[in-house]
Amino acid sequence: MNFHLSLDYRVPTGCLEPFFEGLRNGVALAERCEACGRVQFPPGGVCGTCGGASLGWVTLAGTGTVILRTDTPDRTFALVRFDGAANAALVEIANPAVQTGPGMLMPPPEGPPRLFFALTDPAETPHA
Amino acid sequence: MTVLLAGGAMTPFNRRKDGSSLRDWCRTAFARALSDAALEPQDIDTVVFASESDFFTLQLNPAAVITDALALTGVRTLRVEGGGASGHLAVQTGAALVLSGLARRVAVIGAEASAAHLDAGKVGKLYSLSFDAWTDGLTGVGATSIYALSVLDFMGRTGATTDDLAGIAARNRQNARHNPNAHLPLDITAADVAASPVVSSPYRRLDCSPLSDGAACVILARPEDLPRSGVGRVRIAGMGAASDRVRLGDRPAPGQFPAKTKAALQAYQAAGIGPEKIELAEVYDSYSGAQLQGLQALGLAEDVVASERAGRFTGEGGLPVNLSGGLLGQGAPVGATGVAQILVAAQQIEATFPGLRPASPPRRALVDTHGGIATTCAVMILESLA
């Protein structure tokens, strides 16, 4: 027998709403632990170093560097360490033709807010 | 107090095309496990059911439904879920219930319809929710890409190569050729693995475990609650479980599995042994590289890459690993996976495993299972009563 199920979720983002609002606009909003000073992006609601739950928001430059990268037939994902963050973020790469190196968070072209990262194209970097 | 694995059985793992249902698979596994344990249905006072996703089974509250389908009434019934570790954690839960005195004879049943109910793309999309659905998940990343990023870190730290990974993928499929219940008994070589399509670099299609349907069941009890005082049975010597940060980016070393190490240490301590006493292992090889990462975390080799290249983990090696074929070969109907891993390890100790066996039966075997990417880890050590 066949059974069709179609689900449309509305998912509140709770305490991480400022993070998602930042992603919509390509802004890297990170958490800073008030107890130990750790800065984490993406945030998690709890400090990854001391477990502290008192966290404030800080805006990072949005720049970062690829640590690891994997390519599927149609998309590319990477672990990126954003400048100023102690942890790394799993992102989709916007321009996989550029192999690796530094880049910048950017607003996703469509769909829900997500970690979308454009690598710096050396061909477009002005030389000194 | 001793908890014995008093009997067990599994259905074949494969993609069902015969019209049989998840309830049919559970009935089959349960009936055969009872027969193996020389027990009757009324001897069972507790059912622990394991499945990962109600979106696969299309059945919420499955423990009650499966218990009813087994014609059991008035028994304690519950469901255990821990991602890929669901089945293994269900066995640990059943053993804990016996140890606590709350249960006398427990049937642990794991089942999943990972293949027949939905197309692979939709199953993959659901599996991607096994990770942090809010950050990693919203990027659209799938399980294979997350495992790929992890193994790339491992390869960078250890010098493991894609040839090493392909060798594991081929060997486990070759091992599975002896296993009548295996999903992918393939006569393939490392070259075939290397020639298969890229799914997420460095992983190729044959580096990945399949989506399977099937069920497995084991019966747990104290020796005094069994008809023949546990003759020919296997003892649970140690158990451990531990968690890790969910997101790879929150881990100091994304290619290492420290929660697995912690779970293994608990199991070794409970068993009163060190890893050098393990004579056979069933390791969670959801991907070829995860087998090496797991073996390293479990402390089963000082230099896991050198040991792999020296043939230590083959059927003839010093520590045979995944002679069943593992997830890569035997298959992976998630809720049943860990139950089946424990079952085949016990059968190896009893020398009753219907597939590839080492020259002499192991006295102790280790079973390693995890959910997420070694996020929810479970380790068990089984020991011969002889």
Side-chain angles (χ1 to χ4, degrees):
Chain A
M1 61 179 171
N2 291 327
F3 188 94
H4 178 75
L5 182 66
S6 175
L7 302 171
D8 243 335
Y9 288 90
R10 286 185 297 277
V11 183
T13 47
C15 68
L16 294 186
E17 177 52 28
F19 162 70
F20 288 105
E21 186 58 31
L23 290 184
R24 283 188 191 94
N25 302 306
V27 174
L29 207 57
E31 284 175 333
R32 186 180 184 281
C33 177
E34 292 179 3
C36 73
R38 173 188 164 98
V39 174
Q40 50 191 25
F41 183 83
V46 174
C47 176
T49 298
C50 71
S54 294
L55 304 159
W57 294 104
V58 293
T59 302
L60 303 182
T63 53
T65 304
V66 168
I67 304 169
L68 299 162
R69 162 185 173 138
T70 182
D71 296 276
T72 77
D74 55 358
R75 297 174 75 181
T76 296
F77 300 95
L79 272 182
V80 166
R81 192 173 308 284
F82 282 84
D83 296 332
N87 58 336
L90 202 161
V91 305
E92 181 181 6
I93 297 294
N95 51 343
V98 181
Q99 283 305 304
T100 190
M104 185 144 190
L105 186 74
M106 61 182 298
E110 78 291 320
R114 64 186 198 274
L115 288 153
F116 199 59
F117 189 81
L119 287 160
T120 305
D121 188 345
E124 295 179 1
T125 304
H127 296 280
Chain B
M1 188 188 293
T2 294
V3 179
L4 299 186
L5 197 150
M10 62 186 285
T11 69
F13 286 178
N14 52 31
R15 178 183 292 272
R16 288 293 197 284
K17 297 174 180 171
D18 60 0
S20 63
S21 77
L22 182 131
R23 300 180 193 200
D24 299 328
W25 315 334
C26 290
R27 284 194 192 98
T28 299
F30 177 65
R32 291 179 183 166
L34 275 182
S35 173
D36 189 46
L39 293 171
E40 299 296 328
Q42 61 269 23
D43 294 324
I44 300 300
D45 61 25
T46 297
V47 172
V48 182
F49 181 73
S51 69
E52 180 176 29
S53 174
D54 300 342
F55 291 101
F56 297 161
T57 57
L58 209 58
Q59 177 65 65
L60 274 71
N61 194 14
V65 172
I66 294 302
T67 301
D68 190 56
L70 301 177
L72 296 176
T73 307
V75 301
R76 174 185 286 108
T77 181
L78 64 145
R79 182 253 192 98
V80 171
E81 191 281 317
S86 297
H88 187 136
L89 289 169
V91 178
Q92 292 202 7
T93 301
L97 286 166
V98 173
L99 285 168
S100 73
L102 284 173
R104 292 183 70 196
R105 302 181 200 93
V106 178
V108 182
I109 304 168
E112 205 82 50
S114 309
H117 284 194
L118 290 168
D119 68 64
K122 291 196 170 60
V123 172
K125 193 164 188 176
L126 288 168
Y127 269 137
S128 71
L129 300 174
S130 302
F131 307 90
D132 187 331
W134 277 15
T135 51
D136 297 354
L138 283 175
T139 66
V141 71
T144 307
S145 293
I146 292 179
Y147 272 90
L149 291 168
S150 177
V151 82
L152 284 168
D153 180 68
F154 175 81
M155 293 164 77
R157 291 171 189 270
T158 63
T161 66
T162 52
D163 288 346
D164 295 317
L165 308 190
I168 291 166
R171 185 172 72 241
N172 288 3
R173 267 53 172 268
Q174 290 286 350
N175 290 349
R177 293 177 66 203
H178 304 269
N179 180 352
N181 293 318
H183 188 167
L184 290 181
L186 303 180
D187 185 10
I188 59 169
T189 65
D192 295 319
V193 179
S196 63
V198 170
V199 179
S200 192
S201 58
Y203 279 138
R204 296 174 178 274
R205 182 176 294 167
L206 287 169
D207 286 303
C208 311
S209 57
L211 304 171
S212 310
D213 300 321
C217 177
V218 296
I219 309 292
L220 306 175
R222 294 176 299 176
E224 55 269 37
D225 289 327
L226 291 169
R228 289 170 292 149
S229 299
V231 172
R233 306 289 83 174
V234 169
R235 186 172 82 91
I236 297 177
M239 302 186 290
S243 66
D244 197 357
R245 301 298 307 275
V246 172
R247 302 188 305 217
L248 277 187
D250 285 336
R251 301 181 185 181
Q256 294 178 355
F257 295 164
K260 192 160 285 200
T261 303
K262 187 165 188 177
L265 288 174
Q266 292 171 7
Y268 292 135
Q269 186 171 22
I273 61 167
E276 71 283 355
K277 296 291 187 186
I278 300 299
E279 298 172 21
L280 179 141
E282 286 287 323
V283 174
Y284 196 80
D285 56 331
S286 46
Y287 293 87
S288 54
Q291 178 162 315
L292 278 185
Q293 293 172 275
L295 286 165
Q296 181 187 60
L298 295 163
L300 291 172
E302 280 192 24
D303 183 335
V304 73
V305 176
S307 294
E308 170 62 30
R309 292 173 185 170
R312 182 158 180 260
F313 307 128
T314 66
E316 301 78 31
L319 178 66
V321 171
N322 288 339
L323 296 192
S324 68
L327 278 69
L328 288 165
Q330 180 164 263
V334 191
T337 299
V339 182
Q341 285 181 293
I342 289 167
L343 172 65
V344 299
Q347 290 173 330
Q348 288 285 9
I349 291 172
E350 293 185 302
T352 59
F353 178 61
L356 190 62
R357 300 204 298 255
S360 57
R363 176 164 168 69
R364 294 184 191 86
L366 180 145
V367 182
D368 153 63
T369 318
H370 71 240
I373 178 152
T375 310
T376 310
C377 295
V379 175
M380 181 176 289
I381 295 168
L382 300 170
E383 191 173 71
S384 167
L385 294 177

